[in-house]
Amino acid sequence: MADQLVRATAAAGGIRAVGVITTQLVAEARRRHGLSYVATAALGRAMSAGLLLASPMKHLSARVNIRFQGNGPLGTVLVDAGRDGTVRGYVDQPGVELPPNAQGKLDVGRAVGAQGYLYVLRDNGYGYPYASTVELVSGEVADDITYYLTTSEQTPSALALGVYLEGGQVRAAGGLLLQVLPKAATDEALIDLLAARVSSLAGFTPLLLAGQQLGDILETLLGDLDLTIFPETQLVRFHCGCNFDRVLGALKMLGVDELRSMIRQDDGAEVTCHFCSSVFRAQRHHLEALVAELEQEVTSG
Ligand code: ZN
């Protein structure tokens, strides 16, 4: 099934629900970055969460950045997700592999680290981004994001995220976010109900593997609560906006001395995009043009 996102409401608008399937885009991230199993699970969960967090934002150019800075061996886990359904991301140490945890699952908590911080930056698309930081709860990603949503955004939330790998392939990935909206946010019973229902799911990926659609899963969870599933399905995909012009812009910021030394030592420059692992090769003549531009700016400035 194509990667996609489905939105719904329930309980007379008191509950917002979003589900996302990210199997293909997580597989693409794994291939691009050469991610280990546990790195695939960590980044895949975080990318799914990014798309879920971005989905209710109004402006189509709105974006959410999620950065895990834990004390685990993966180092930084960074995701940039958009309301437009695009997402990209990376981990500092993509090759780190760990033995399974006590439950026999990929040990994302240990790989990310249970100590450290989760940074979330929301850019609503109007030019006033706001940043927020919480301490990590477990490094398992879903716990940490839930804690962030509940404390920092004051939106009681229940979140399930999953990435299932088998035989070196990503077989299923995605997530589900249920939120109690402000009009119902004091309804403790409703909040408890959602948390209980999400934790009653035997994981999210087993449902996908069993052939369930997002609509089926939402129906199971909220069917008795006046569920309305929005008819339009949004396609989601891995996408990075990097290009050669931006690479040249970044190189230019290094300044004349650094550019000259690159020309002298390497006859050019090779730049790898963190977010998508695309490699750009700037030739000597590109760098010489940047030097000339900088010198021109100095003379005319
Ligand atoms: Zn890129």
Side-chain angles (χ1 to χ4, degrees), residues 47-69:
M47 290 200 301
S48 304
L51 288 165
L52 292 171
L53 261 60
S55 72
M57 296 173 83
K58 289 196 176 63
H59 206 290
L60 207 59
S61 65
R63 299 197 75 82
V64 177
N65 276 222
I66 297 175
R67 180 159 60 95
F68 285 85
Q69 203 73 61

Side-chain angles (χ1 to χ4, degrees), residues 32-55:
R32 282 179 173 272
H33 296 307
L35 300 173
S36 68
Y37 271 60
V38 77
T40 304
L43 185 60
R45 288 183 194 177
M47 290 200 301
S48 304
L51 288 165
L52 292 171
L53 261 60
S55 72

